[in-house]
């Protein structure tokens, strides 16, 4: 753990995409990264992918104090480890986790690190996990989204946010593991109790939904229905393991789920669209006693209406932010599953771009044209 006031000498300069104002382009600037506290690691970022959570921060839906460096799906290598870091060394290949946790609060004791009191309390401030800054620009502190700040050549993170994976793992594909892939695969393998031969429905085929489809495949389900209005996404869903693909028409989807289950409905529905219609569809399409996992989200002040009858009959509803992630054990496993050829990450990368292309990359994500654009920094593959 970091000791207050204990610092290393390291202070490096890095090019970074800095968000100074919501709903405005990020600017590429030189920032100072460090110095390290005893529990930190300094990473050279090799690849960072563009996720909707960053977009929420850009658009002001996710409150982040500015100026800030966003970027939370990233991979890199350890350049320096703080004095108290014993399990990481220089040159280690790591994937960033956005769930550092204190390990001793009420929620950590309940094995719910995603609810860690320190994690949630310090989140909006967007400094380091200990609440103090690590980045600066012309002596003014710069914030780091989710304690990370991956849209930069270097970042400094708590050691527990840097998860070592196989050296054989390409950086650009490793970057995907830390958020969207973990959330989607985890929904199927950590949250849902999927049985061999079950029928699963996945609503929304962005990075999270496509990962959920792959998680369902890894769990051995019998049929996977992918639901998305975008024909290219449905095609990709089929390539990644969906056995059936439908438009987002609710009646058609419910009918298909019932036709595959003797009229009961899907055993498990994983929602990854973040639309009120998707939340409603999830409850209409699941069978009595079935499981619904909501991964998407809408505005925190928004209200979503349901037909009461759709909530009846012993349905189990779970809302998850990170797919039940336990990054230290799950990220190496996901990486190995990719290396074994059982998790397709190659086809989830829509574009490889430079740091200077970041604003256009987010515009493309917002338009729904890309699943994942990955910013390639030096030596990314
Ligand atoms: Zn905690
Ligand atoms: Zn993300």
């Amino acid at each position: 753990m970091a000791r207050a006031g204990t610092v290393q000498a390291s202070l490096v300069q890095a090019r970074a995409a800095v968000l100074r104002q919501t709903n405005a382009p990020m600017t590429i600037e030189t920032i100072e990264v460090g110095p390290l506290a005893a529990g930190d690691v300094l990473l050279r970022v090799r690849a960072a992918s563009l996720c909707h959570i960053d977009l929420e921060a850009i658009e002001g839906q996710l409150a982040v104090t500015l100026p800030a460096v966003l970027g939370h799906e990233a991979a890199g290598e350890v350049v320096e480890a703080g004095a108290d870091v014993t399990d990481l060394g220089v040159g280690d290949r790591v994937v960033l986790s956005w769930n550092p946790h204190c390990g001793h609060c009420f929620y950590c004791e309940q094995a719910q690190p995603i609810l860690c009191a320190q994690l949630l309390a310090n989140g909006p401030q967007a400094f380091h996990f200990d609440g103090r800054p690590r980045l600066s620009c012309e002596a003014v502190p710069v914030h780091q989204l989710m304690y990370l700040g991956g849209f930069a050549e270097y970042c400094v993170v708590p050691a527990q946010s840097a998860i070592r994976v196989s050296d054989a793992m390409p950086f650009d594909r490793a970057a995907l593991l830390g958020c969207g892939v973990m959330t989607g695969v985890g929904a199927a393998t950590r949250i849902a109790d999927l049985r061999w031969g079950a029928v699963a429905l996945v609503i929304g085929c962005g990075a999270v939904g496509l990962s959920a489809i792959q998680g369902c495949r890894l769990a051995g389900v019998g049929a996977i229905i992918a639901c998305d209005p975008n024909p290219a996404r449905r095609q990709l869903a089929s390539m990644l393991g969906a056995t059936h693909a439908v438009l987002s028409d609710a009646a058609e989807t419910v009918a298909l789920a019932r036709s595959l289950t003797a009229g009961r409905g899907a055993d498990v529905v994983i929602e990854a669209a973040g639309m009120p219609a998707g939340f409603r569809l999830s409850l209409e399409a699941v069978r009595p006693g079935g499981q619904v996992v909501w991964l998407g989200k809408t505005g925190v002040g928004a209200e979503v209406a349901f037909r009461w009858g759709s909530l009846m009959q012993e349905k189990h509803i779970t809302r998850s932010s990170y797919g039940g992630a336990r990054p230290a054990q799950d990220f190496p496993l996901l990486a190995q599953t990719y290396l074994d050829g059982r998790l397709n990450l190659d086809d989830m990368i829509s574009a490889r771009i430079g740091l200077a292309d970041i604003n256009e990359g987010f515009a493309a994500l917002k338009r729904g044209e890309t699943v994942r654009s990955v910013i390639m920094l030096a030596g990314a593959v």
Side-chain angles (χ1 to χ4, degrees), residues 144-337:
Q144 38 188 145
L145 178 68
M146 299 162 103
Y147 314 108
L148 301 173
F151 294 150
E153 293 170 318
Y154 291 89
C155 66
V156 56
V157 303
Q160 61 167 315
S161 286
I163 310 298
R164 190 175 180 199
V165 296
S166 166
D167 289 343
M169 191 66 197
F171 285 112
D172 54 358
R173 276 139 285 185
L176 305 186
L177 299 177
C179 181
V181 169
M182 178 70 248
T183 302
V185 174
T189 59
R190 296 279 187 245
I191 304 287
D193 180 19
L194 276 167
R195 306 288 170 89
W196 181 49
V199 172
L201 165 65
V202 176
I203 301 170
C205 297
V208 173
L210 292 168
S211 300
I213 287 167
Q214 300 205 63
C216 291
R217 175 171 50 74
L218 290 166
V221 305
I224 305 168
I225 306 167
C227 176
D228 196 291
N230 181 326
R233 295 286 175 90
R234 292 199 300 277
Q235 190 173 13
L236 191 50
S238 298
M239 188 191 304
L240 298 180
T243 56
H244 302 72
V246 291
L247 292 161
S248 48
D249 178 76
E252 181 191 0
T253 307
V254 170
L256 178 58
R258 289 181 179 168
S259 75
L260 296 170
T261 53
R264 293 186 297 271
D267 298 298
V268 170
V269 180
I270 298 175
E271 183 285 330
M275 308 279 283
F279 295 123
R280 278 191 286 272
L281 173 57
S282 66
L283 288 161
E284 298 288 352
V286 75
R287 69 164 165 81
Q291 304 167 66
V292 172
V293 183
W294 287 336
L295 301 175
K297 57 186 167 185
T298 184
V300 290
E303 295 192 1
V304 180
F306 296 97
R307 187 178 66 82
W308 178 253
S310 71
L311 291 154
M312 299 292 286
Q313 298 184 306
E314 309 298 313
K315 295 170 183 175
H316 299 254
I317 305 166
T318 306
R319 169 71 186 55
S320 175
S321 287
Y322 208 0
R326 304 306 292 259
Q329 64 186 35
D330 290 341
F331 290 5
L333 180 59
L334 287 168
Q336 193 57 51
T337 307

Side-chain angles (χ1 to χ4, degrees), residues 20-32:
R20 294 193 170 275
Q21 192 181 332
T22 54
N23 293 300
M26 284 171 273
T27 48
I28 308 303
E29 304 180 28
T30 299
I31 61 167
E32 310 244 276

